[in-house]
Amino acid sequence: MPTIAQRLREVTQRLEAACRRRGRDPRSVLILAATKTRSPEELLAALAAGIRHFGENYVQELLAKREAIDKAGYTNVSWHMIGHLQRNKVKYLVPGVALIHSLDSVALAEEIEKRAARAGVRQPVLLEVNLAAEATKSGVSPQELPGLAERVLELPHLDLQGLMAMPPYSEDPEDSRPHFRTLRALADSLRDRGIPTENLRHLSMGMSGDYEVAIEEGATIIRLGTVLFGPRG
Ligand SMILES: *Cc1c(COP(=O)(O)O)cnc(C)c1O
């Protein structure tokens, strides 16, 4: 079995090659380790290999692993929430997470605003878009996206930084390409409506099976689990 460090080297080479194909700077793509079900020991191995950004799907798991990593003495680690977020869990995450990728409703935005205001912070967020209208997935519809974006910009303790999406699962990474293009086009159309570029600077898209395609289509954050840690048990 390859180590996490070996896997990260392979990913980094593929990332750099995808950037070269598009004339992009490799430093414009952030590798986020998607760590659901992974143990604190696996996270420590990822830290030793140079990973500094972790994304969790469940609030309790994020809090538990953050505590374990804090105890191990790491201070420069960023925690991201990438799973569906319930309103009643926001109080455990704000303040304290670098980026919430899964903001998908006005009600959730208002709850994050309330908690961030109380803590005196501005909370970075991405809007999650449900590109293929999948009933099993969260995310705002493309039709509702502009209204949500405009509302979020009115909330002074939210710091909108872009969009996130997860295309329907497929074995073939090329199947994801049109969805990645759609997400990028949605960001462009928000820009055309007057949403500032700085609020659209991130596209969080691409996972183990399709991150190279995502980079070709403009991803700035790729969320990787299996390709870094091996199959989930
Ligand atoms: C699990 C997960 C990932 C990573 O999935 P892999 O296919 O293992 O790379 C990325 N994003 C989200 C939201 C996830 O839940």
Side-chain angles (χ1 to χ4, degrees):
M1 282 266 284
T3 64
I4 292 175
Q6 287 166 334
R7 290 171 180 276
L8 179 61
R9 264 197 298 280
E10 163 92 20
V11 166
T12 302
Q13 282 167 8
R14 289 176 177 273
L15 179 159
E16 287 169 357
C19 283
R20 270 197 301 277
R21 292 196 286 278
R22 288 295 191 272
R24 294 188 59 187
D25 181 346
R27 288 168 302 186
S28 68
V29 183
L30 174 73
I31 297 176
L32 172 65
T35 44
K36 58 175 176 272
T37 77
R38 309 298 178 177
S39 66
E41 290 68 33
E42 288 175 285
L43 272 64
L44 288 170
L47 282 163
I51 296 274
R52 286 296 177 273
H53 291 262
F54 293 123
E56 285 285 348
N57 291 64
Y58 301 101
V59 172
Q60 290 312 324
E61 233 185 297
L62 187 154
L63 299 178
K65 285 181 219 172
R66 188 172 65 193
E67 199 184 325
I69 298 302
D70 282 351
K71 278 201 181 124
Y74 285 94
T75 49
N76 55 344
V77 179
S78 295
W79 295 88
H80 297 238
M81 179 62 186
I82 63 175
H84 178 63
L85 179 56
Q86 289 169 292
R87 261 189 295 167
N88 63 0
K89 300 280 176 64
V90 170
K91 56 177 176 285
Y92 303 115
L93 288 189
V94 179
V97 283
L99 183 60
I100 296 173
H101 292 230
S102 47
L103 176 51
D104 65 353
S105 74
V106 169
L108 182 58
E110 289 173 348
E111 178 64 22
I112 298 170
E113 167 64 24
K114 185 172 100 184
R115 297 289 167 179
R118 203 172 280 182
V121 299
R122 281 189 89 213
Q123 175 61 54
V125 295
L126 305 179
L127 303 182
E128 181 178 359
V129 187
N130 189 344
L131 293 171
E134 291 177 278
T136 54
K137 277 193 190 145
S138 44
V140 67
S141 69
Q143 294 72 29
E144 290 166 327
L145 176 65
L148 178 58
E150 277 157 18
R151 179 67 187 128
V152 165
L153 286 178
E154 291 169 359
L155 299 175
H157 298 87
L158 290 193
D159 174 16
L160 178 61
Q161 298 194 347
L163 305 179
M164 180 271 223
M166 201 161 36
Y169 178 77
S170 166
E171 291 284 324
D172 183 356
E174 284 302 325
D175 290 343
S176 298
R177 191 183 297 278
H179 297 289
F180 294 146
R181 285 193 175 154
T182 299
L183 193 69
R184 187 180 185 156
L186 286 169
D188 290 341
S189 72
L190 291 176
R191 218 172 271 121
D192 292 343
R193 294 171 75 107
I195 302 228
T197 301
E198 65 182 46
N199 296 115
L200 297 164
R201 63 184 178 276
H202 282 304
L203 293 175
S204 169
M205 60 187 195
M207 314 199 329
S208 290
D210 56 16
Y211 69 94
E212 294 162 274
V213 171
I215 292 166
E216 288 173 1
E217 299 303 334
T220 64
I221 304 176
I222 53 175
R223 307 180 311 267
L224 306 179
T226 321
V227 81
L228 290 178
F229 297 104
R232 272 184 293 276

